[in-house]
Amino acid sequence: MSTLPLFPELPTGDATAITADGGDAPPPRGTGLLQELRKTGALRTLDHALAQSLRRLDPDTPDSVLAAAALASLAVASGHAGFDPAEPQRLVDAAIDWPTPAAWTAALAASHWVAHPGAGDAESAADAPLVYEHGLVYLRRYREYERRLADGLRRIGRAVPHAGAAASDGDGAHVPAHLAPLFAQLFPEAATGDDLQSRAAATALHHSLLLVTGGPGTGKTTTITRMLVLLAAQALAAGAAPPRIALAAPTGRAAERMAESVRNAVQALPALGVQPALCAQLPTTGTTLHRLLGTIPDSPRFRHHADNPLPFDVVVVDEASMIDLPLMAKLVEAVPDGARLVLLGDPDQLPSVEAGDVLAGILRAAEATAPTASFPARHVHLTRGYRQSAALDLAPLAAAVREGDTATALSLLRGGELSGVHLHEGNADPLQSHREHLLAHWTSLADASDPADALARAGRMRILTAVREGPQGARGLNARIEEMLAGTRRGAGPASTTSRYFHGRLLLITENSYRHRLFNGDIGICLRDDSGTLMAWFPGDDAHNPRPFHPAALPAHDSAFAMTVHKAQGSEFDEVWLVLPERFNRVLSRELVYTGLTRARRVLHVVGGPDAIVDALARHAGRWSGLGWKLR
């Protein structure tokens, strides 16, 4: 499997082609669009350097094409797969005299830097660094990721699954007669009505590509556990070997949560009359997608790919909304022919931190096509709430936020009628108003008996923010928290506050390190070992045996006492403080608020004024993507 470089088509003979400031490219002429974008500060150095490289290689390149290249690069950094010239203000909110969509399209059509693949083209044809397809301008690598992902999903969905199953017509939600008694044990409510959990499990018996979605507590992992029991029974009845099953998620914490949920669901099966031998065939551990695919030190490639597929018959992936476009493309290519791929997720959560809104694109394609159409995925959306904490009544608030119903959301927050939900409307600084309560939690981390205990305690409470910078941002809050802890645990004074690392400091990894098997979003804690050496401890394959690292050897990281909602996806905490910015910020969306509040298990504190909540619920966190179109 090959990995496409970012700009593989640019000549490499001249080392000055791309430099931090555009190298020795001719200075911008006049006050063109690229220069306007540069003046606004919207472009990153890399975005501008790409455009300047194209200008240097061909000084006659129209300014609108150069700007489109820079914006396509910026779009990827902003989470989009490509850039839509018809809506540039969605990417750059500045007073710029944008070209008309028709003029921009004409310039792109005439440029040799831009490929224009026809419908169904396997490749983008030309060796151009940009691709213009279905209204989007792509960096070629990201168009290729979308194409490869669409091809891979169709391949999986069209295959007849292993274990003796035959593809069925229609929605495939019927159960073979020899499995009917077991099915009735697993889903006793199926006989009394249209039970969506049982429909999902029955569909998996006949199809290789299944999407199971739903909000917190709708029973996704319970459904999957019972589905896996049916697949094991199906294989036994066919005289086949037990299915080889993998449980995976984008982050270690999400993988462990999924495995724990499956283990708990398995423990309940004997009471339903399920044979212990079938239960024993289910996996008891989960893994990250990176570990599943097999990381290679200092390489973006994985050990498992199309030519060396995964050794599994069923791959179940939780928190699919968190998976970015490149990673999902590589995962799908590694799923072997005839294996089942089951994607679980909440479509109302934020999309991935990196480029792409993969789950949304797949769901749009699945919902827009008939069962016999070109995209053969099956989708079941679970709606019934099974998990309801006696201490926390989130369901009404989550529904109002999900629907963008600002009046109801504010009424519920202000009314005080939801158990466990608290609004701090006039208090933008919980570090002052609730200092002692918060400090008690953070100081307890350093008093833990061992690293595993400390990491478990860390999951009891977290401050979540919408932004990284500013007074309500994760970075500023972490700095203040560390100052507070310096005064309580290390003593006051300059000598005690200069050390970056200290006993009890929570850490958040911010970049993938395949060498260390540490990935963006992993949480660890600094603790002294038995010899008194300060080490950074991160969860290992076994949650009871964390892995130690010297802090100086870690990849890029931040403190994690406060973290952004994006980074908290895939995690849950007993107590969540959701801090919203005082001023309008473009990152605010209903998906952000929904994701943040649904991280809470027992207590939710919302810190923010009504303006922030109104702004957030009025916006969708949509992404530009052509995946849904390619799948259809």
Side-chain angles (χ1 to χ4, degrees), residues 9 13 43 56 100 104 224 264 281 302 314-315 340 355 365 433 495 526 579 604 615 630:
E9 309 80 2
L43 298 180
R56 184 179 185 279
T100 66
W104 219 333
I224 294 307
N264 292 337
Q281 296 181 18
F302 292 105
V314 184
V315 178
R340 289 175 171 86
S433 60
C526 289
V579 179
L604 170 68
D615 288 339
K630 288 182 176 67

Side-chain angles (χ1 to χ4, degrees), residues 256-271:
E256 175 54 30
R257 274 185 51 220
M258 180 190 190
E260 182 181 7
S261 297
V262 169
R263 290 193 296 268
N264 292 337
V266 168
Q267 292 175 1
L269 294 179

